[in-house]
Amino acid sequence: MATADDLKFQEFDDAANLLAANPDATTISIDEPVEIPKNQHSRLQEPGREEDDELLGTDDSDKTELLAGQKKSAPFWTFEYYQTFFDVDTYQVLDRIKGSVFPVPGKNFVRLYIRSNPDLYGPFWICATLVFTIAVSGNLSNFFIHLGKPTYHYVPEFRKVSIAATTIYAYAWLVPLALWGFLMWRNSRVMNIVSYSFLEIVCVYGYSLFIYIPTAILWIIPQKVVRWVLVVFSLCLSGSVLVMTFWPAVRDDNRRIAVATVATILLLHALLAVGCLAYFFDAPELDIPAPIIPAHNGTTVITKSH
């Protein structure tokens, strides 16, 4: 039968021996709570701090972005290089479209919506949709204006698609290219000018054209007053996006140069809208007198060309 000494735990004996040798040693009881370091205690008290750091852009998130920016980019002839330009989701595209239709006074479109992640997905499809909208709406407008005239024969003008595509895409790419080159040139002369990348400028111009898609649909209404009111309204919305984005980039420059730059941006934007309305919807119809062709039965046939 086991004695009382056999039922003792060896660990307790060792602890007793250590206490006898060093009476000042610190002991920890199982019942006493373990002290949590201050940094861990603050983390436990703020469970959402990590998420807030990412949203507010603290040091941790800034380091992450810096490390992400140091990654080696793919060569321009590979598919991965161009894939980065379309790396956006539906919510980001809708948010940027909403920002171009409802601009926030005093807010920069690039800083508020693009956030160093410009895309070509939205601008490309906005321009493509605008091209077909203008071409189809222009044909329908011409059809409704002459509807009921016995001498009118409707013929769809497919050339309007190519003309609209050339105009829209040339504006959405060449004007940003010229503006980017101008800002780079002024940045080399005036050091405190805000500079945008070429993709950021293309992104701003592409999303600023979205308001013209519903406007082009409403241009089918055969009333010139309504059409010009829609043009002015669209210019105010899309033009304000461009002004609030590019004015901070040139306001520290020479006052005349800054005002002339913004005025040129608005002038080119207005020429695009007015030119599309004048050519595709308000183009005058030229009535050319057709020759009289005698028929074999003694009657005459009069043809009318437009």
Side-chain angles (χ1 to χ4, degrees):
M1 183 174 180
T3 62
D5 295 336
D6 297 335
L7 298 177
K8 292 182 180 181
F9 291 98
Q10 184 66 29
E11 288 78 5
F12 291 164
D13 293 338
D14 296 339
N17 295 331
L18 290 175
L19 288 175
N22 188 8
D24 297 331
T26 303
T27 59
I28 299 176
S29 175
I30 299 177
D31 296 333
E32 294 179 358
V34 181
E35 182 180 359
I36 302 176
K38 294 182 179 181
N39 56 352
Q40 296 182 5
H41 184 68
S42 60
R43 290 289 183 178
L44 294 176
Q45 287 183 345
E46 299 176 4
R49 181 177 176 181
E50 184 177 356
E51 182 179 357
D52 294 338
D53 291 344
E54 295 179 358
L55 295 176
L56 297 177
T58 54
D59 295 337
D60 295 338
S61 60
D62 293 340
K63 291 179 182 179
T64 304
E65 292 182 1
L66 181 61
L67 293 176
Q70 292 178 351
K71 293 181 179 180
K72 185 177 180 180
S73 59
F76 70 92
W77 60 82
T78 60
F79 179 77
E80 290 77 8
Y81 177 80
Y82 299 95
Q83 188 178 8
T84 58
F85 301 151
F86 298 85
D87 187 17
V88 288
D89 54 22
T90 305
Y91 297 102
Q92 288 177 323
V93 174
L94 292 178
D95 190 40
R96 295 174 182 183
I97 290 176
K98 187 188 302 182
S100 66
V101 177
F102 304 103
V104 180
K107 298 297 182 180
N108 191 316
F109 184 82
V110 174
R111 299 291 181 260
L112 191 61
Y113 296 101
I114 297 179
R115 298 173 182 173
S116 301
N117 184 28
D119 70 286
L120 296 181
Y121 180 85
F124 175 80
W125 286 111
I126 288 174
C127 291
T129 306
L130 182 60
V131 166
F132 286 98
T133 302
I134 289 179
V136 173
S137 298
N139 280 282
L140 290 177
S141 176
N142 191 25
F143 172 76
F144 288 134
I145 289 175
H146 301 90
L147 184 64
K149 295 182 180 180
T151 58
Y152 175 74
H153 178 67
Y154 173 72
V155 178
E157 301 181 45
F158 295 102
R159 61 185 179 87
K160 288 185 176 181
V161 178
S162 59
I163 295 175
T166 303
T167 304
I168 298 300
Y169 279 101
Y171 173 81
W173 283 92
L174 296 181
V175 174
L177 179 62
L179 180 59
W180 172 73
F182 175 78
L183 292 179
M184 292 292 292
W185 172 64
R186 295 306 301 173
N187 190 24
S188 62
R189 301 176 65 90
V190 182
M191 299 302 297
N192 56 349
I193 288 183
V194 179
S195 61
Y196 297 125
S197 65
F198 174 66
L199 289 179
E200 289 176 341
I201 300 177
V202 171
C203 190
V204 174
Y205 268 85
Y207 281 102
S208 67
L209 295 176
F210 178 83
I211 188 61
Y212 291 111
I213 296 177
T215 302
I217 297 176
L218 295 177
W219 278 346
I220 299 177
I221 302 174
Q223 297 292 332
K224 289 187 176 181
V225 177
V226 176
R227 291 176 176 176
W228 284 102
V229 169
L230 291 172
V231 168
V232 174
F233 179 73
S234 302
L235 279 175
C236 291
L237 289 180
S238 57
S240 62
V241 174
L242 298 178
V243 171
M244 289 187 296
T245 300
F246 296 109
W247 173 250
V250 298
R251 63 185 174 186
D252 294 331
D253 200 348
N254 183 275
R255 178 63 61 175
R256 292 183 178 180
I257 295 178
V259 173
T261 303
V262 175
T264 303
I265 292 174
L266 291 177
L267 179 62
L268 294 176
H269 203 62
L271 286 177
L272 175 69
V274 174
C276 290
L277 176 61
Y279 180 81
F280 294 99
F281 296 89
D282 290 338
E285 180 183 354
L286 301 177
D287 292 333
I288 302 175
I292 300 176
I293 302 175
H296 295 287
N297 55 2
T299 60
T300 59
V301 179
I302 300 177
T303 59
K304 183 179 179 180
S305 60
H306 301 283

